[in-house]
Amino acid sequence: MSNMGLSEKLREEVDSIWQAIFKHPFLVEMSKGVLPMKKFRFYVRQDYLYLTDFCRALAVAEGKIQDVKDLKDFTAFLYKEIALEIGGLERYAESIGVSTKQLSKSNYAPVTYAYTRHVLYSAYADPFSCFLSLIMPCMQLYLEIAKKIGDEEGIKKIPAYSKWLATYQTKEYADLVDWLNRLLNKYSQGSSQWEISRMRTLYLTSSRYEYMFWDMAYKLEGWRI
Amino acid sequence: MSNMGLSEKLREEVDSIWQAIFKHPFLVEMSKGVLPMKKFRFYVRQDYLYLTDFCRALAVAEGKIQDVKDLKDFTAFLYKEIALEIGGLERYAESIGVSTKQLSKSNYAPVTYAYTRHVLYSAYADPFSCFLSLIMPCMQLYLEIAKKIGDEEGIKKIPAYSKWLATYQTKEYADLVDWLNRLLNKYSQGSSQWEISRMRTLYLTSSRYEYMFWDMAYKLEGWRI
Amino acid sequence: MSNMGLSEKLREEVDSIWQAIFKHPFLVEMSKGVLPMKKFRFYVRQDYLYLTDFCRALAVAEGKIQDVKDLKDFTAFLYKEIALEIGGLERYAESIGVSTKQLSKSNYAPVTYAYTRHVLYSAYADPFSCFLSLIMPCMQLYLEIAKKIGDEEGIKKIPAYSKWLATYQTKEYADLVDWLNRLLNKYSQGSSQWEISRMRTLYLTSSRYEYMFWDMAYKLEGWRI
Amino acid sequence: MSNMGLSEKLREEVDSIWQAIFKHPFLVEMSKGVLPMKKFRFYVRQDYLYLTDFCRALAVAEGKIQDVKDLKDFTAFLYKEIALEIGGLERYAESIGVSTKQLSKSNYAPVTYAYTRHVLYSAYADPFSCFLSLIMPCMQLYLEIAKKIGDEEGIKKIPAYSKWLATYQTKEYADLVDWLNRLLNKYSQGSSQWEISRMRTLYLTSSRYEYMFWDMAYKLEGWRI
C-alpha cells in the first residue's frame, strides 16, 4: 500500500465514481451495440469542443515546465497525441456523418462548458503537478473503458463504435497514460500538504465531470435556459 | 436604438432569461416572505464561495488595465465593494446562523463551481473588455432584483431577507453598476468583431449561470455523483 | 541562526548587494543634499512606471491567494498602500515640477522595463510564495534606506528629498513590511526544495534590479539603441 | 505602400536598429571568420536559455488561439521548429565543446533574462496578435542575417559558424517565417488602435533586445552586481 504511487491512490479514491461510469447506460448500450447513433454523434461533437480546449489548456500549462527534457516530451505529446488527434477526430466525425464545418459550429452543452473551464482555469492558476492530476482521469479513464468494453461482441458489430474505441486500445495510448502517471508521481514528490490536497480535489472533480459528460451525451442535455 | 450603449444592447438580448429569473420561485417566494430559510442559507453559503472567487478573478483581470485612472478606480472597487463585502457577508451569515467557520468549510455545489471557473478563466484569458461583459450580469441583476422585489410587503416581514436585499438598494450600489456599465462601453470602443461577439457570448453565459444559481439554491442541488 | 525566518535568511544572502546600494552615489548624494534634481526627476518618472506595473502585478498574484483572510488583507494592501500611493506619487511629482500628464507620457528606461517584466511575469507564473519573495526586496529596501539616510543633515535641507523619504519613515510603512515578511514566512512553510530555491533566485534578482534602478537613474540611462 | 501588410510596416519602422545589428562586430567578425569562439560559446549558452523560455512562452500564447486550424498549425510549429530545435541546439553545442549538462547549468546574463521576461509576460497578458508581433523580430532577423552573411567567404572557413547558420538558410525556415508573417497580418485584421500601437511597441522592443543580445554576447556581459 505504501509503495503505491500517488496516481494509484488518487485513482483508488474515486473508484466508486468510475464504477458508475462503467455501468452508465451510454457505455453499456455502446458495448451491446445498441446505443442510438444520435447520442453518439452528440457525444462526438461535444468531445471535439473538449479536445480543442484540452489542447489550449495543455499548452498553457506547458509554460510552467522547468525541466528541459520534460518540456520537450510534453511538446511532443501535445503535437502527436492532441493536435494530430484533433485532425483524427475530424476525419472520424466525417465518417459518421458530421462534417468539420458542423463540428466547428457546435455549441457547448453546459457540462462540456463547465468541464473545459475547469481544465482551462487550472492550466493558468495551478502548479503543474496539480494540473497533471486534473488531466489524469480523462486520459486514464479511456484506457480503462477500452479494456472493459473493447472485446464485447456488441461493440464489434458496430464498426463506428469499434473504430472509435480502437484509438484507446493501442500500445501507444497505454504508454502515453503510463508516462503521464509517472510524470504526475514525479512532480508530486516533495509537494506541500496544500498541493496534495488540491491534487485530490482536482482528480475527484475531473472524475465527476467525466461521469457527467457521458450522462449529458446520453440525455442529449442542453442548457436549462 | 442606435444611440444605445453596448451594455444596454447586451442586457436587452438576454431579457427573456432575466424575466425567467424574476419569476423564479426562489425570488417569488422570497418576495412573499415564504422562502424556506434552509434554501436561503444554502444560497448564502454558495454566494460566499462565489464572492471570494469573484474577488480573485477581478484582481487577475485588473492586471490588464493600462489606463492609470481606471487602474486606481478598479482597485478601489475591488477593496471597497468586494473585499469589504466579504466581511459584510461573513457578519450577515453569522446573523442567520451560519458561522464564518462553516462558510469556510462549504463545498462548491456544481453550478457554483462551473460559474466561478467561467469567471476565473476569463480573468486570465480574455481581453479586459470581455471580462467586463462577463461580470455585468452579476452586478446589474442584483440591482434590478432589488428594484423588483425590494418594496414587496412579504419581504419586509422577514428582516433577514430585507436586510440582505438592502445592500443592493443603496445609491452607492446603483452608482457602482452605472460606473461598470460606462467602463464596459468605454472598453468596447473600437473593438474587433471577434471581441464584440465574445462579449455577447460571455454576457449570455453569465446570465444563464445567474438563473442556474438561483435554481440550484432553490433545489439545494448537489453533484450528480 | 536556525530560528531565523526565511525572510531574514533571504535578506542576509544578498547583503553585499544591499550594502552596494547604500553606498551608491545616488543615495549618498541624496543624503548629502547634493543629488542633482534632474536625476531625481528621472528616478521619479521611472518609479511611477514601476509603481503602476507593481499594482498590476500584485493584483494578478492576488488571484492565487486561497485563504480568505489573507485575500482580504492583500486587497486592503493593494488599495491603501499601492493604488492610493499612485495618487500620492502624482501629487508629489507635481510638487517637483513633473505633471501627471508628463508622468503618463514617460517611456520605460531599459532597467525599469526589465524589472517590471520580471515582476509581472512572476505574478502570472510563480506560486504566491515565490512572488512574495520577489517583491520583498523592493518593499524592505526602502525601509532600510529610510533608516540609513533619513536623519542625515543633508537630506533635511532639501524638502523635496526629505518629503519623499518621509513616506518610508512612518510606523505604518514599517508595519506593512513586517506583515509582508510574516506572510512570506507563512507561505513558505512546507515548500518544496524547488520552491525555496526559486524564492532565493527571485529575491536575489530583485535585489540586483534595485541596485540597477538607482544606477540607471544616476546615469540617466536610456536604451543602447 | 498602402498594400503593405502590417508585418512589412513594422519591419520598416525598425530598420535602423536592424542595420545596426547587421553591422555589429559580433556578426561582422563572424562573417569574416574571426569571431573568437569564446564569444560564440557565450552566445550559444544564452541562446539555449532563450530558446527554452521561447518554447514555454509560445505554448502559453497558443492557449489563446480560437481558430482550430491555426491551433493545429501552431502546435506543429511548437513541436517541429522549437522543441526539436532545442535538441538540435544541444547536439550542436556538444559539437563546439559545450555539453548539455553545461547548457542546463548556464545562468541568465542580464539581457537574456530581460528579453525572456519580455516574451514570457506578453504570452500571458497580451492578445495573440500582439504576441505574434513580439516574436516576429526574432524569427525574421535570423532569416535576414543568414541572407546577409551566409555566403561570405570568411564564415565558410569556420565549419562551426557555417553549420550554425545553415539552420536559417533552409527553405523550410523561410517558409516558417513567411507563415508567421501571414499569421500576424491575419490576426491584426480589425484590430483596435490600442492593439496596433501595442504591436508596434512590442516589435520595436524585441528589435532592441535582439541588438542587445548580440552586443551582450560580444561583450561577454554579466550582471552589474
Side-chain angles (χ1 to χ4, degrees), chain A residues 42 45-47 49-50 53 106-119 208-225, chain B residues 110-118 204-213 215 221 223-224:
Chain A
F42 185 94
R45 292 181 70 158
Q46 293 301 316
D47 195 43
L49 290 169
Y50 180 84
D53 276 339
S106 299
N107 291 315
Y108 288 97
V111 169
T112 313
Y113 190 76
Y115 192 2
T116 53
R117 298 315 98 169
H118 161 69
V119 180
R208 281 172 157 168
Y209 275 128
E210 285 295 329
Y211 177 89
M212 288 160 75
F213 202 85
W214 299 109
D215 198 45
M216 158 199 81
Y218 192 74
K219 295 173 180 164
L220 305 170
E221 195 176 47
W223 292 86
R224 276 179 223 203
I225 196 162
Chain B
V111 169
T112 313
Y113 190 75
Y115 191 1
T116 52
R117 298 314 100 169
H118 161 71
L204 168 64
T205 307
S206 292
S207 296
R208 280 172 157 168
Y209 275 126
E210 285 296 328
Y211 176 89
M212 289 160 74
F213 202 86
D215 197 45
E221 195 176 46
W223 293 86
R224 276 179 224 204

Side-chain angles (χ1 to χ4, degrees), chain B residues 4-219:
Chain B
M4 243 192 221
L6 180 62
S7 67
E8 284 168 288
K9 283 181 200 156
L10 293 167
R11 168 65 186 85
E12 205 175 74
E13 282 178 12
V14 298
D15 193 55
S16 65
I17 297 175
W18 289 42
Q19 294 306 328
I21 294 172
F22 300 143
K23 284 173 204 150
H24 192 281
F26 191 101
L27 290 174
V28 170
E29 292 181 17
M30 175 181 264
S31 73
K32 290 182 179 163
V34 298
L35 179 75
M37 186 53 75
K38 189 184 177 184
K39 297 187 177 188
F40 189 68
R41 280 199 198 93
F42 185 94
Y43 164 83
V44 166
R45 293 180 72 157
Q46 293 300 316
D47 195 42
Y48 185 73
L49 290 169
Y50 180 84
L51 187 62
T52 48
D53 277 339
F54 199 58
C55 182
R56 293 176 187 108
L58 289 168
V60 169
E62 177 177 321
K64 289 183 192 137
I65 302 177
Q66 293 306 307
D67 181 87
V68 175
K69 188 183 178 311
D70 291 340
L71 182 67
K72 291 188 287 183
D73 289 350
F74 205 82
T75 314
F77 158 54
L78 188 64
Y79 175 62
K80 293 184 187 171
E81 310 292 341
I82 306 297
L84 288 184
E85 181 56 23
I86 294 174
L89 189 53
E90 286 167 357
R91 287 185 297 278
Y92 175 77
E94 191 85 42
S95 79
I96 59 165
V98 182
S99 69
T100 302
K101 202 173 175 180
Q102 282 176 296
L103 282 180
S104 73
K105 283 184 178 170
S106 299
N107 291 315
Y108 288 97
V111 169
T112 313
Y113 190 75
Y115 191 1
T116 52
R117 298 314 100 169
H118 161 71
V119 180
L120 285 160
Y121 164 58
S122 177
Y124 279 100
D126 280 311
F128 187 62
S129 56
C130 295
F131 180 75
L132 281 174
S133 185
L134 175 147
I135 64 168
M136 273 322 297
C138 171
M139 301 303 293
Q140 167 113 16
L141 180 66
Y142 280 70
L143 185 71
E144 296 194 21
I145 286 172
K147 276 183 193 161
K148 286 262 177 197
I149 68 171
D151 294 328
E152 296 283 328
E153 285 308 306
I155 205 165
K156 289 183 183 165
K157 286 181 204 152
I158 315 287
Y161 295 166
S162 51
K163 192 184 166 194
W164 169 78
L165 204 62
T167 315
Y168 311 107
Q169 291 177 302
T170 60
K171 184 176 181 311
E172 195 183 27
Y173 188 74
D175 288 347
L176 170 65
V177 173
D178 192 47
W179 168 70
L180 283 168
N181 273 317
R182 277 182 284 118
L183 211 58
L184 168 61
N185 290 337
K186 175 183 163 187
Y187 276 85
S188 62
Q189 297 285 330
S191 289
S192 65
Q193 276 307 99
W194 176 82
E195 226 168 309
I196 297 289
S197 156
R198 178 98 181 122
M199 279 185 238
R200 293 171 69 193
T201 304
L202 292 169
Y203 200 100
L204 168 64
T205 307
S206 292
S207 296
R208 280 172 157 168
Y209 275 126
E210 285 296 328
Y211 176 89
M212 289 160 74
F213 202 86
W214 299 109
D215 197 45
M216 159 199 80
Y218 192 74
K219 295 171 180 165

Side-chain angles (χ1 to χ4, degrees), chain A residues 18 28 35 65 76 96 131 141 156 159-160 166 170 175 182 205 207:
Chain A
W18 289 44
V28 171
L35 179 74
I65 302 176
I96 59 164
F131 180 74
L141 179 66
K156 288 181 182 166
T170 60
D175 288 347
R182 278 182 283 118
T205 307
S207 296

Side-chain angles (χ1 to χ4, degrees), chain C residues 27-40:
Chain C
L27 289 174
V28 171
E29 292 181 16
M30 175 182 263
S31 74
K32 291 181 178 160
V34 299
L35 179 75
M37 185 54 72
K38 189 183 176 183
K39 297 187 178 189
F40 189 69

